[in-house]
Amino acid sequence: MSEPELSQAEKPGGPPALVIDQDAPLLLDEPGRAENPLPGVATKVLAENGPCFVCHANYQAEPLAKQHAGSDVGCVACHGPSYAHRNDENNTTPPDVMYPRNGIDPACRKCHASHDVPAGKIVTLWLQRFPDKTDAQSIVCTDCHGDHRLKVRTVRWDKKTGKLL
Ligand code: HEC
Ligand code: HEC
Ligand code: HEC
Ligand code: HEC
């Protein structure tokens, strides 16, 4: 075939093109991001997180990842490009950057120096998410933000050294 065929979308009256799953909870039409300074960011973000979603599909709808992808802070910005990890079919190579518990707050603070939130809201969320914890020193950002932790693990690395456990 030498002539390229018209896609379904280009045919008048045809069904929509099978390019993008409109039901996917991605960032294509995300409302409330008018302040986003980067035009065309959705495409870029898809290109960036796509390789990770191949295996981490459950992170497509995860709030922490979504909030950041909308501002062009993708998986790679926080975990590194992780080429060896994503190409390892045996799943024994860790990603470039992991976060031991005491590394989480410093990493978040690099971009979020302040936390201008009314105390009442903070306490409410605290009570919702971990009512049993009473020591403020032991709480990290991701205790309150996102649903970013794996419920089930098949592989585990030491988050500091990357050693397979
Ligand atoms: C804003 C920075 C940031 C972004 C963006 C981000 N992560 Fe993370 N990720 C973290 C931090 C911090 C932790 C550690 C969270 C914790 O232990 O509470 C983490 C932990 C994880 C974990 C391990 C969870 C566990 O239970 O040990 C996986 C898997 C992961 N991220 C995958 C992803 C994927 C896939 C993306 C993109 C879709 C992504 N992350 C985007 C910061 C980020
Ligand atoms: C590379 C910079 C960067 C890092 C690191 C980072 N963030 Fe963000 N974060 C952003 C940007 C940019 C936005 C979107 C702009 C905004 O709403 O402030 C954002 C948005 C957010 C929001 C949504 C704010 C809102 O108004 O809805 C939360 C919550 C958040 N980040 C928490 C975290 C946490 C928790 C971490 C550590 C795991 C983290 N961020 C690490 C840059 C970063
Ligand atoms: C005890 C719970 C709790 C912890 C811990 C917590 N936050 Fe928040 N955070 C909140 C609440 C509640 C809001 C307000 C959300 C809303 O208005 O719906 C918020 C809002 C935010 C926002 C958006 C508003 C703003 O100030 O820009 C960012 C960004 C953020 N948090 C980052 C962080 C980071 C980074 C850490 C760790 C250093 C952290 N949070 C720790 C409860 C928490
Ligand atoms: C070939 C499949 C595959 C791809 C592609 C992939 N991962 Fe993973 N990743 C895994 C597996 C398997 C685990 C272990 C999770 C488990 O136990 O279920 C993991 C775990 C992780 C963790 C958790 C590390 C920790 O703290 O323990 C992070 C972070 C992570 N991946 C980031 C990424 C990022 C970022 C990308 C894209 C650049 C990516 N992954 C692409 C398979 C993959």
Side-chain angles (χ1 to χ4, degrees):
M1 206 188 305
S2 56
E3 287 287 309
E5 278 206 338
L6 279 180
S7 76
Q8 290 291 350
E10 287 158 330
K11 284 178 193 159
L18 287 174
V19 183
I20 286 148
D21 179 3
Q22 300 289 354
D23 290 325
L26 287 178
L27 310 147
L28 301 162
D29 295 304
E30 185 126 302
R33 283 289 170 197
E35 75 277 23
N36 196 319
L38 299 161
V41 76
T43 331
K44 197 169 169 198
V45 165
L46 282 176
E48 202 181 294
N49 285 355
C52 311
F53 291 151
V54 170
C55 299
H56 297 288
N58 50 336
Y59 280 79
Q60 290 186 36
E62 191 280 320
L64 186 75
K66 270 180 81 178
Q67 280 164 337
H68 286 92
S71 297
D72 202 29
V73 180
C75 317
V76 162
C78 294
H79 294 292
S82 308
Y83 293 115
H85 168 71
R86 68 166 97 153
N87 291 327
D88 180 1
E89 288 172 12
N90 296 323
N91 295 328
T92 52
T93 312
D96 298 346
V97 181
M98 295 184 282
Y99 295 91
R101 207 171 155 82
N102 64 7
I104 296 172
D105 286 19
C108 304
R109 287 208 177 100
K110 275 187 197 157
C111 295
H112 300 288
S114 68
H115 196 245
D116 187 12
V117 182
K121 276 193 171 182
I122 294 193
V123 173
T124 305
L125 194 59
W126 181 335
L127 292 175
Q128 270 168 18
R129 294 191 49 138
F130 39 90
D132 298 337
K133 263 196 199 174
T134 51
D135 176 12
Q137 292 307 316
S138 73
I139 292 167
V140 299
C141 311
T142 46
D143 285 335
C144 280
H145 292 291
D147 185 15
H148 204 77
R149 290 175 194 154
L150 295 165
K151 311 282 179 288
V152 183
R153 297 283 320 217
T154 52
V155 190
R156 212 175 265 283
W157 300 277
D158 182 311
K159 289 179 195 274
K160 285 201 182 78
T161 63
K163 198 168 157 279
L164 186 67
L165 300 177

